[in-house]
Amino acid sequence: MEFINEERINDILKNPALKKEDYQKTVIEKAKLKKGISVEEAGALLNIETPELYQELFLTANELKQSIYGNRLVMFAPLYLTNACVNNCLYCGFRKDNKELTRRTLSIDEVGQEADSLIRQGHKRLLLVCGEHPKISNVEFVGEAIRKIYSLDYNGNNIRRVNVNIAPLSLEDFKKLNSYEIGTYQLFQETYHYDTYKIMHPSGPKKDYAYRLTAPNRAFEAGIDDLGIGALFGLTDPKWETLAMLMHAEYMEATLGVGPHTISVPRLEPALNAPSANQPPNAVDDLTFKKIIAVLRLAAPYTGIILSTRERAELRRELFNVGISQISAGSKTSPGSYKDSENPESHGQKDMEQFSLGDHRSLNEVVKDVCEQGYMPSFCTACYRSGRTGDRFMALAKDGTIGHICSPNAMATFKEYMIDFADKGTIEVGEKALAEQVEKLPEKTKNKTKSMISKLENGERDVYF
Ligand code: SAM
Ligand code: SF4
């Protein structure tokens, strides 16, 4: 726990030298070398106030993301297994004391129906999410759900990577979880600020700050080497939170030899009977949020940064330009809601959801929009299936190889999506974007990509390298 050094963070925030523009400019220059920056230097960037300088920050974040990963944006959707929960997080609609929430736990067959609905929309990557309930959301149940999801197939289309965001486990249970072939294990500390954490988590197992903070290390020991971290913005001072999260990343790098695979930046959204969500104690405005994402990209250039549908479409578009590399699309936050929404008579499941969303567009609409913004939607799951995880993935990211793998795989999986799922409008925009992007590839990769595309046109599926 000592690695979240509150004194060090407080000193950074007070330090007048870190508010000087000249110094902030030198930090931006240093970040361009793609070697990351220290927590102190990130503190200096978070202090940037002048529009010229934060525009420079935004441009640099975009350049870094583009030069490492190219213009691909990886797509996924969350799948909720249950909204039953024994915790009482003051910001969450699933909290135990929310008596107005209609509780629902999916059967394994219903999990299959949800996944099937997502496969038929074109998704290839899911994030499993659930409340914490020892009798319901235990590792065996999650494992069975994963098996069911991987077993489904719809004309060669299937879920190829299941990431998991569930409450922290013991070492033994993490080993079991790993045996189900998960992708990334994600866990958000919510707030790294100890006193705030204590207030926000008044009861249930989640009130143990240290057990949660040390979970990524236990997961790693159990063999899971793609680990995601995150903080729930709005609970405490956002600059403080960002620096603490970077300290966590620094600690992971030092102790595990590899930093986080992803960083998530959820921001508080309104939720039923969740006092701290409906009146966030430290609401984060859009500009501050944008600066935070850009600073994270400069500080951890090789890490995936995930943006969810909590945010509105217009803001999401802006944030793609400051280093976001993965996004959810077409999401719902209550168990059973994908299947339910296929029913034209359905009125939604407001009384079952975890929080309300800012972006309600379908996957097809988001894909089209992403293309129009000059990004390449990606459904790629190649790295994890080819053993490129943990430090092996990071090594490829650091030596620049990953971009040469990501771009062609993004293009092939996007082509596959267009053949099987896109509507006419998306195909029009998408084919044009794809043709342009393929021509921009270096000769060798271009030929490989064209050959993957023709295989897909000839009926093959799941083509990647
Ligand atoms: N129950 C597990 C846990 O708490 O670790 C699994 C994840 S929980 C269902 C998913 C995440 O949703 C939480 O970690 C939290 O960051 C986020 N969340 C909860 N309430 C939220 C709200 N009102 N607005 C935005 N995000 C919220
Ligand atoms: Fe339960 Fe997680 Fe919601 Fe907390 S954030 S109430 S643990 S589902």
Side-chain angles (χ1 to χ4, degrees):
M1 253 177 75
E2 315 77 65
F3 61 83
I4 303 299
N5 184 338
E6 297 204 351
E7 223 175 277
R8 182 175 164 208
I9 302 175
N10 295 336
D11 287 348
I12 294 174
L13 292 175
K14 276 191 294 202
N15 187 346
L18 302 180
K19 298 197 167 108
K20 298 218 163 82
E21 281 194 20
D22 283 347
Y23 180 63
Q24 292 163 341
K25 282 182 193 159
T26 62
V27 176
I28 294 181
E29 288 310 309
K30 179 177 172 190
K32 288 181 182 169
L33 303 174
K34 292 191 262 187
K35 298 220 176 332
I37 52 175
S38 69
V39 178
E40 280 70 15
E41 288 164 335
L45 298 185
L46 288 169
N47 285 334
I48 291 179
E49 289 299 339
T50 50
E52 305 86 77
L53 210 49
Y54 60 68
Q55 290 309 335
E56 176 66 20
L57 170 70
F58 296 158
L59 277 178
T60 309
N62 198 26
E63 275 164 24
L64 288 181
K65 189 265 167 182
Q66 295 286 345
S67 80
I68 297 166
Y69 290 113
N71 66 346
R72 61 100 164 124
L73 266 182
V74 174
M75 308 274 158
F76 73 95
L79 192 167
Y80 281 71
L81 299 178
T82 180
N83 59 8
C85 193
V86 293
N87 291 311
N88 230 333
C89 313
L90 296 187
Y91 46 80
C92 179
F94 291 175
R95 60 199 291 264
K96 184 171 164 238
D97 283 355
N98 182 3
K99 304 293 181 219
E100 285 172 58
L101 190 87
T102 305
R103 306 277 167 180
R104 180 170 180 195
T105 299
L106 301 183
S107 67
I108 294 301
D109 278 348
E110 287 169 332
V111 172
Q113 288 168 8
E114 286 292 271
D116 184 64
S117 172
L118 288 164
I119 293 173
R120 285 164 195 266
Q121 288 172 37
H123 278 291
K124 300 289 185 291
R125 290 173 162 244
L126 295 189
L127 174 66
L128 280 195
V129 190
C130 58
E132 179 169 8
H133 198 298
K135 291 212 184 97
I136 300 172
S137 55
N138 53 43
V139 72
E140 282 78 18
F141 171 63
V142 174
E144 248 192 279
I146 295 171
R147 274 210 191 110
K148 178 75 188 180
I149 293 168
Y150 279 140
S151 75
L152 302 171
D153 182 274
Y154 169 64
N155 295 339
N157 289 289
N158 52 355
I159 297 300
R160 299 169 187 163
R161 178 173 175 128
V162 178
N163 296 333
V164 176
N165 182 330
I166 60 168
L169 301 172
S170 65
L171 177 60
E172 282 319 302
D173 278 350
F174 271 131
K175 285 183 185 161
K176 282 189 205 156
L177 183 65
N178 191 32
S179 73
Y180 297 111
E181 303 194 357
I182 66 163
T184 307
Y185 171 67
Q186 274 187 5
L187 185 68
F188 308 155
Q189 185 62 24
E190 320 295 13
T191 176
Y192 287 89
H193 191 263
Y194 186 79
D195 292 343
T196 309
Y197 188 94
K198 285 284 162 194
I199 296 168
M200 290 296 151
H201 306 101
S203 63
K206 193 164 167 180
K207 73 179 191 202
D208 189 339
Y209 175 98
Y211 190 67
R212 196 170 181 89
L213 191 62
T214 49
N217 283 60
R218 278 196 304 286
F220 188 85
E221 198 182 331
I224 304 173
D225 58 0
D226 277 351
L227 297 161
I229 61 171
L232 182 54
F233 283 92
L235 297 176
T236 196
D237 171 16
K239 286 187 187 175
W240 200 103
E241 203 71 275
T242 308
L243 296 177
M245 184 156 63
L246 287 173
M247 267 179 191
H248 192 187
E250 196 178 61
Y251 175 78
M252 285 171 68
E253 180 103 43
T255 54
L256 310 176
V258 59
H261 185 69
T262 56
I263 294 181
S264 296
V265 288
R267 195 163 55 149
L268 276 178
E269 287 297 324
L272 182 67
N273 286 330
S276 302
N278 300 329
Q279 278 193 314
N282 283 276
V284 180
D285 63 83
D286 290 352
L287 178 60
T288 306
F289 192 50
K290 189 170 174 181
K291 285 189 206 167
I292 287 170
I293 294 171
V295 171
L296 290 172
R297 176 52 70 207
L298 268 63
Y302 303 101
T303 304
I305 303 184
I306 304 181
L307 185 72
S308 76
T309 51
R310 289 173 180 85
E311 305 302 334
R312 311 174 319 273
E314 317 83 71
L315 183 66
R316 296 221 306 162
R317 285 186 197 110
E318 252 190 72
L319 299 176
F320 298 161
N321 295 330
V322 292
I324 293 296
S325 53
Q326 298 191 21
I327 61 167
S328 52
S331 308
K332 308 228 178 274
T333 69
S334 61
S337 47
Y338 294 113
K339 176 84 185 141
D340 179 68
S341 62
E342 288 174 5
N343 174 2
E345 311 268 284
S346 161
H347 300 294
Q349 300 190 332
K350 278 269 157 224
D351 62 338
M352 283 196 209
E353 69 186 16
Q354 193 191 11
F355 48 81
S356 45
L357 295 174
D359 184 350
H360 297 273
R361 295 171 302 164
S362 68
L363 175 63
N364 182 66
E365 287 169 288
V366 175
V367 163
K368 179 168 179 243
D369 191 33
V370 159
C371 269
E372 284 169 339
Q373 306 298 308
Y375 292 97
M376 178 58 47
S378 174
F379 296 86
C380 179
T381 56
C383 278
Y384 137 84
R385 291 157 81 215
S386 310
R388 298 189 291 263
T389 61
D391 54 358
R392 289 173 304 283
F393 174 87
M394 281 301 163
L396 293 172
K398 287 181 183 172
D399 76 9
T401 312
I402 207 72
H404 301 297
I405 300 173
C406 284
S407 296
N409 282 337
M411 292 177 197
T413 55
F414 178 45
K415 176 72 188 182
E416 187 181 35
Y417 171 82
M418 283 197 288
I419 297 174
D420 292 326
F421 302 104
D423 72 8
K424 206 164 145 253
T426 302
I427 294 174
E428 244 169 58
V429 176
E431 286 293 357
K432 188 164 167 277
L434 184 63
E436 281 167 16
Q437 299 291 331
V438 172
E439 287 313 314
K440 285 188 193 154
L441 290 170
E443 211 53 37
K444 209 169 134 204
T445 339
K446 191 195 296 181
N447 294 335
K448 263 191 173 171
T449 311
K450 284 186 173 170
S451 128
M452 287 200 287
I453 290 176
S454 31
K455 281 184 187 167
L456 291 162
E457 284 168 339
N458 291 327
E460 259 188 69
R461 289 292 172 268
D462 201 10
V463 179
Y464 62 91
F465 75 90

